[in-house]
Amino acid sequence: MAVQILDKSFHVLETLSREFSGLSISELARRVDLNISTVHRILSSFSERGYVTQDSEKRYSLSLKFIDLSSSYLMGLDLKAVAEPILKALSEELEETVFLATMMDNQAVYIDRHDYINHLRCYTSIGERKPLYCTALGKSLLLGFTRQEQEAYVAACDFAPFTDKTLKDGETLLEELERSSRRGWTVDDEENVSGVICHAAPIYDYRGHVIAALSTSMNRDETSSEKLNRITTALLSTAGKVSSRMGFQKQEG
């Protein structure tokens, strides 16, 4: 019986969460397919604890206390701690080293890595910074910029070359970011280190903001279309898992 009333209570809360203008008790009872007396008892309990409010027209809504409740939890989430076991699993699945980075001062800052023992030597260390325009991680972080912010970034960028494949101008980068936004992942095609290609995907928080990115690197001469497809699929799945743990809820449609 206790489990049943909990189930009914959550049904009531979830229904109210979708109605910003609120619902009358009769409307709510009809939506959740419960009798009015049961709904009234549930609402009374939540009202006493401050989670439900009633306006002058006797319409019920969720209170701001839910924001306090969720914010306390979300503020306590540690990205690195949340991502660590998921990134380790990705490294083992792909048999490649994977990286996690956030942004600081318009640069990608590496905050974690999980090594897989192979013959690709990875020189990047925790705390190292890399430009946004020539790294897969950086481009994924740029996906969190508005178009106006992206244009401001490229206007101020010197596009210093690291290899002969480093992007040379803002127009090319903006076009690539448009393609990347549609497919959900980014690539560094020997733009930072000759002979090494990287793929990355953005990580979102509960506000839908890009807060980090994850990537993997591989030797150019060891790649195939089949391997690249497997990598991008795994990256997107892993980024989705970390984002979900950080409170992100993907909007359908």
Side-chain angles (χ1 to χ4, degrees), residues 9 17 22 24 26-27 29 31 36 50 52 85 108 117 121 136 161 180-181 185 209-210 214-215 218 220 231-232 247:
S9 298
S17 72
S24 68
S26 58
E27 290 173 329
R31 295 277 187 93
I36 290 178
V52 169
I117 306 303
R121 296 183 65 187
S180 298
S181 180
W185 52 270
H209 295 172
V210 174
L214 61 90
S215 75
M218 66 217 82
R220 157 62 74 185
I231 284 173
T232 54

Side-chain angles (χ1 to χ4, degrees), residues 96-111:
E96 302 286 353
T97 297
V98 299
F99 303 91
L100 179 68
T102 57
M103 188 167 60
M104 182 179 295
D105 300 327
N106 275 356
Q107 292 181 304
V109 181
Y110 290 79
I111 62 172

Side-chain angles (χ1 to χ4, degrees), residues 177-197:
L177 290 176
E178 284 187 8
R179 291 192 299 272
S180 298
S181 180
R182 289 193 293 270
R183 68 194 179 197
W185 52 270
T186 56
V187 63
D188 154 16
D189 188 6
E190 299 184 74
E191 297 161 47
N192 187 246
V193 178
S194 294
V196 176
I197 64 173

Side-chain angles (χ1 to χ4, degrees), residues 79 83 87 98-104 107-113 124-130 132 135-138 140-141 200-203 210-215:
L79 171 64
L87 296 187
V98 299
F99 303 91
L100 179 68
T102 57
M103 188 167 60
M104 182 179 295
Q107 292 181 304
V109 181
Y110 290 79
I111 62 172
D112 202 4
R113 62 181 281 176
T124 304
S125 58
I126 305 302
E128 185 174 349
R129 298 188 181 198
K130 294 280 188 177
L132 301 181
T135 59
L137 283 167
S140 280
L141 292 170
I203 294 170
V210 174
I211 57 169
L214 61 90
S215 75

Side-chain angles (χ1 to χ4, degrees), residues 114-176:
H114 283 272
D115 294 310
Y116 189 85
I117 306 303
N118 56 20
H119 50 276
L120 175 62
R121 296 183 65 187
C122 298
Y123 297 97
T124 304
S125 58
I126 305 302
E128 185 174 349
R129 298 188 181 198
K130 294 280 188 177
L132 301 181
Y133 65 91
C134 62
T135 59
L137 283 167
K139 293 174 186 177
S140 280
L141 292 170
L142 280 170
L143 293 182
F145 284 31
T146 64
R147 178 67 178 196
Q148 185 176 8
E149 289 169 338
Q150 290 174 350
E151 291 173 350
Y153 170 80
V154 301
C157 185
D158 61 4
F159 290 95
F162 287 82
T163 72
D164 59 2
K165 290 191 175 183
T166 303
L167 298 185
K168 297 175 175 62
D169 61 83
E171 183 178 354
T172 304
L173 177 59
L174 290 172
E175 290 174 355
E176 183 175 334

Side-chain angles (χ1 to χ4, degrees), residues 24-86:
S24 68
I25 193 168
S26 58
E27 290 173 329
L28 182 55
R30 187 165 56 253
R31 295 277 187 93
V32 298
D33 194 25
L34 295 172
N35 61 59
I36 290 178
S37 62
T38 299
V39 173
H40 184 267
R41 287 197 302 273
I42 292 171
L43 290 173
S44 295
S45 295
F46 284 123
S47 295
E48 288 174 6
R49 299 184 68 88
Y51 288 102
V52 169
T53 60
Q54 186 181 27
D55 63 19
S56 59
E57 297 180 357
K58 295 187 177 181
R59 299 178 70 82
Y60 291 89
S61 303
L62 298 187
S63 76
L64 295 179
K65 191 170 182 180
F66 273 103
I67 296 178
D68 293 334
L69 189 68
S70 58
S71 294
S72 297
Y73 170 73
L74 292 167
M75 288 297 289
L77 289 176
D78 183 321
L79 171 64
K80 188 175 177 180
V82 166
E84 184 173 11
I86 303 175

